Amino acid sequence: MEIDIAMEKTLSEQVNNNQKKTETLTFPTGFLWGAATSAHQVEGNTNNNWTEWEKNNAERLAKEAGGKWQTWQQEKFPEMFDVKNYISGQACDHYNRYKEDFDLAKSGGHNAHRFSIEWSRIELEEGKFDEREIEHYRKVLMALKARGMEPFVTLWHWTEPIWFQEKGGWTDKKSIEYFSRFVEKVVGEYQDLVRFWVVVNEPNVGMGFGYLLGSQPPAKKGPVNFLRGFFNLFAAFKKSALIIKKIDPKAEIGVANSITHYDVKIFPGLYYITVSVVDFFSNYFLRRAIPYCTFIGCNYYSRHVISSRKKDIAPEKRNDLGWEIYPEGIYHVLKSLKKYNLPFYITENGLADAMDEKRPQFIEHHLRFVQQAIQEGVDVRGYFHWSLLDNFEFVDMRGFWPRFGLIEIDYKTLKRKPRKSFYEYANICKNNEVDLT
Ligand code: BGC
């Protein structure tokens, strides 16, 4: 009898496990699967306002590491105290190794790829477009096309030519003219190869850190600079979107927004006002950009809890940067943006996880909630994991130590090594479905 019970238990466990294993969520036909990068973070040897800033700030950043910012797991990442960590230098040398990287992405089942064109390469000197660099990005685009991968091209991922910064950056009204001139050139050149343009990446984060807080280039701290910069960037976006539409009426135009889930846990009387205020400011750029967009890009990483009580987050629920892992949030943000009635692409979603312990489950769980949003009528058409490669993490200037890649980079040899999660994500991309475990 005892044996029977034990056998039955084992069987029921097996059935449960099988059931768990066979729970499969399928994505819509034609769903785009890929990963994202940005030029300065992976290409190497860029010459822009960030390169300059790194030279002047690396020493300070290494001294401040572990104190002001990184109390979380600092013993695990001694690189954060090294000046070299804060100099982008050769990065992943993706500028020269893009074919090898795209081969890997293709072998991982990716049918799309998001990357940015580095403005300072195309227009190192004001008004002079560099034909060799234009040719370079043409080759990059052709390499993607040859591998059957749809390019999503970002035009502003926070870096700018040095001359642009010397002329006042985004605080100067002429910035609108400068940026849209670059956009006109680039879109005119590549319209035959590119359908999806991500005009700007995370305007709120880029402007917030670069202008309001001043913790990253151009470090023009203060609310006045921020407001000037923010509205000029918006005007530049609008002008650029109209230019793109004129050059190629069939082009898809969007913005990649950093969309955090704000979990408001306060006294009910203050709930609606808090939610409205947070929504007003965090989605301000997006709201105004909607009339010029044909799709919405969502960059989702974590949630912020707004509460009078501080709650500790368990270590297993944090990534290496200490950010909370909260998959359900992606569902809430998608649902809250459904009202805009445009197609969505998850243009970034990922985590710093050097040991790759949490990434496989992170992807699976986030996709499960993306799928739930799709089932409830949100038109999500693609997912780009951040990132294809480990890279120079530049939000708030963290440098090389946070490891965001599906593919690990050995920065000494520049060898690429796909992580376990790369293969797990490959199964998802190839089958267009997620198996829930
Ligand atoms: C940015 C990326 C960055 C990532 C991880 C996003 O805010 O677009 O450039 O590396 O977050 O922090």
Side-chain angles (χ1 to χ4, degrees), residues 41 157-158 201-202 299 301 323 348 386 393-395 404:
Q41 295 180 269
H157 203 122
W158 303 357
N201 178 70
E202 298 194 355
N299 295 358
Y301 285 89
W323 305 351
E348 286 179 29
W386 184 273
E393 168 56 14
F394 65 1
V395 172
F404 274 90

Side-chain angles (χ1 to χ4, degrees), residues 46-61:
T46 45
N47 183 5
N48 58 35
N49 61 334
W50 281 68
T51 342
E52 286 297 291
W53 197 81
E54 288 158 20
K55 278 185 221 151
N56 301 326
N57 288 274
E59 222 162 285
R60 174 181 62 79
L61 292 165

Side-chain angles (χ1 to χ4, degrees), residues 37 41-42 79 90-94 97 100-101 104 354 387-392 400-419:
T37 62
Q41 295 180 269
V42 293
E79 316 92 280
Q90 66 174 354
C92 313
D93 193 31
H94 176 71
R97 297 171 196 235
E100 179 190 339
D101 294 337
L104 281 171
S387 179
L388 181 65
L389 311 169
D390 282 342
N391 60 55
F392 185 72
F400 285 113
W401 73 261
R403 302 287 187 142
F404 274 90
L406 290 166
I407 299 171
E408 183 184 344
I409 301 284
D410 177 334
Y411 288 112
K412 286 200 184 93
T413 61
L414 292 174
K415 272 220 171 93
R416 274 81 170 134
K417 187 171 165 223
R419 294 193 160 98

Side-chain angles (χ1 to χ4, degrees), residues 191-211:
Q191 55 164 312
D192 55 329
L193 295 166
V194 181
R195 190 168 144 228
F196 292 91
W197 298 101
V198 178
V199 184
V200 294
N201 178 70
E202 298 194 355
N204 44 355
V205 180
M207 293 323 252
F209 283 119
Y211 288 77

Side-chain angles (χ1 to χ4, degrees), residues 311-354:
K311 205 174 152 261
D312 278 341
I313 304 163
E316 61 277 12
K317 289 203 171 151
R318 290 173 183 239
N319 74 19
D320 290 346
L321 282 159
W323 305 351
E324 185 185 8
I325 298 173
Y326 189 68
E328 193 185 317
I330 202 165
Y331 164 81
H332 295 299
V333 296
L334 287 169
K335 287 285 280 193
S336 72
L337 299 173
K338 182 171 182 269
K339 58 182 183 239
Y340 293 123
N341 232 350
L342 285 176
F344 290 92
Y345 292 89
I346 309 300
T347 33
E348 286 179 29
N349 174 233
L351 78 169
D353 178 21

